[in-house]
Amino acid sequence: MATTITEVSGNKSFGGWQKTFKHDSGELKCSMNFGIYLPAEAKTDRLPVLYWLSGLTCTEANFAQKAGAQGLAAENKVIIVMPDTSPRGCNIEGEEDSWDFGTGAGFYVDATEDKWKTNYRMYSYVTKELPEVINANFNTIPDAMSIFGHSMGGHGALICALKNPGKYRSVSAFAPICNPMQCPWGQKAFNGYLGSDQAKWKEYDACELVKAYQGPPLDILVDQGKADQFLLQSQLLPDNLVAACTTNKTAITLRMQEDYDHSYYFIATFMKDHVRHHMRYLSA
């Protein structure tokens, strides 16, 4: 039985529609919003789908409003789906206490700690439930999907692709948290959601996952601003990802972009390259 979705908003854009829908999530046990850009062709034709995962403090709206992707999606005839970054309104003690843990900071893991494990299941939501909802309600090509994201969402995109060989045709990221086990953001999130057993942490760390990856060839594209304050604070660690990919002969292109920071101005600048990267695989 298809999940019921309710339209929250819709705006005509580049001949198609930027819309927001809400639905009751079985994985997260709460009402969730997602954004979706539907090119005009989505009315009549089945189209491939690009999933975008946003970063800390973001909602489903940030990408839609700031990335400048609608025109590119219309031109390339691809649907883009933008989920929220965490469950909302679960009334868990402490979920609103800090900006980098809890609300807006689901880290795309399935929590195992008692306090969080009922609701904080963003990994299963993004990889299983949401694609089922999208495929049931829109004109998609179910096996033509790719994934990309920013910062915490770049981490999410990388782990979703690496943990599900063949599910996503391609993956890319802007300023991803590449090695969460080795940075303060990741250590805080993993301790909170997964507990102190670092064997569990490895299941959600792109550097650990890529070393053991045995699926179809992946061609990873990463853009990183050289003036990104979080790069300078050792939160992102892209060199560790390159080293891990080299160990397992996984193709990665890391582009260090002079003077660019962590913002959506940076993302919008290189969005065309990322959409083009994905369309090479989605239109194959």
Side-chain angles (χ1 to χ4, degrees):
M1 190 175 113
T3 301
T4 302
I5 62 172
T6 305
E7 187 169 329
V8 176
S9 65
N11 301 90
K12 187 86 180 258
S13 180
F14 291 93
W17 288 89
Q18 177 66 49
K19 296 192 173 193
T20 303
F21 290 89
K22 66 178 179 181
H23 73 107
D24 290 327
S25 167
E27 286 288 356
L28 306 179
K29 308 290 188 290
C30 67
S31 177
M32 287 295 283
N33 284 1
F34 64 85
I36 186 168
Y37 180 74
L38 299 161
E41 289 80 3
K43 272 190 173 179
T44 52
D45 303 337
R46 294 196 173 275
L47 302 182
V49 184
L50 246 178
Y51 285 86
W52 170 268
L53 304 185
S54 288
L56 289 164
T57 75
C58 289
T59 69
E60 74 288 344
N62 295 70
F63 179 88
Q65 294 169 355
K66 298 178 180 178
Q70 288 87 354
L72 296 167
E75 188 183 318
N76 288 281
K77 301 179 177 56
V78 61
I79 294 167
I80 304 184
V81 176
M82 312 131 215
D84 202 346
T85 53
S86 77
R88 299 275 169 179
C90 297
N91 299 315
I92 302 169
E93 184 197 351
E95 71 177 337
E96 305 286 346
D97 288 357
S98 55
W99 66 275
D100 56 358
F101 184 82
T103 301
F107 260 85
Y108 305 102
V109 304
D110 283 353
T112 54
E113 290 294 282
D114 285 346
K115 188 172 174 181
W116 306 99
K117 67 183 183 182
T118 300
N119 304 100
Y120 278 70
R121 296 181 52 79
M122 285 300 293
Y123 171 73
S124 286
Y125 176 72
V126 164
T127 58
K128 297 174 189 164
E129 183 177 15
L130 186 59
E132 287 171 6
V133 170
I134 298 301
N135 292 335
N137 287 282
F138 302 98
N139 263 337
T140 65
I141 304 169
D143 66 344
M145 54 193 244
S146 291
I147 193 162
F148 63 153
H150 170 232
S151 195
M152 176 185 73
H155 142 78
L158 291 167
I159 65 165
C160 288
L162 291 166
K163 285 168 73 67
N164 296 277
K167 185 181 185 82
Y168 302 96
R169 292 197 184 176
S170 52
V171 60
S172 74
F174 295 85
I177 302 171
C178 295
N179 196 180
M181 293 181 71
Q182 301 299 329
C183 77
W185 279 342
Q187 290 164 354
K188 178 176 180 177
F190 286 6
N191 253 312
Y193 295 132
L194 305 172
S196 58
D197 179 3
Q198 295 203 1
K200 291 181 183 173
W201 296 15
K202 288 183 177 182
E203 295 174 28
Y204 294 104
D205 186 306
C207 288
E208 296 295 328
L209 292 168
V210 79
K211 288 176 196 169
Y213 181 77
Q214 293 183 320
L218 270 179
D219 176 11
I220 302 169
L221 171 63
V222 174
D223 270 309
Q224 173 63 62
K226 282 191 180 180
D228 185 328
Q229 69 270 37
F230 301 117
L231 175 72
L232 305 176
Q233 292 168 13
S234 298
Q235 294 281 20
L236 307 177
L237 306 173
D239 292 341
N240 294 12
L241 181 63
V242 172
C245 286
T246 304
T247 302
N248 195 17
K249 296 183 170 59
T250 297
I252 183 167
T253 302
L254 170 63
R255 308 193 306 182
M256 300 298 296
Q257 305 290 3
E258 201 73 46
D259 294 332
Y260 283 93
D261 58 18
H262 200 71
S263 71
Y264 267 87
Y265 295 109
F266 156 64
I267 294 169
T269 301
F270 301 103
M271 182 55 59
K272 185 174 186 178
D273 292 350
H274 284 247
V275 173
R276 188 182 291 148
H277 170 78
H278 292 293
M279 291 314 298
R280 284 215 309 273
Y281 299 95
L282 288 172
S283 55

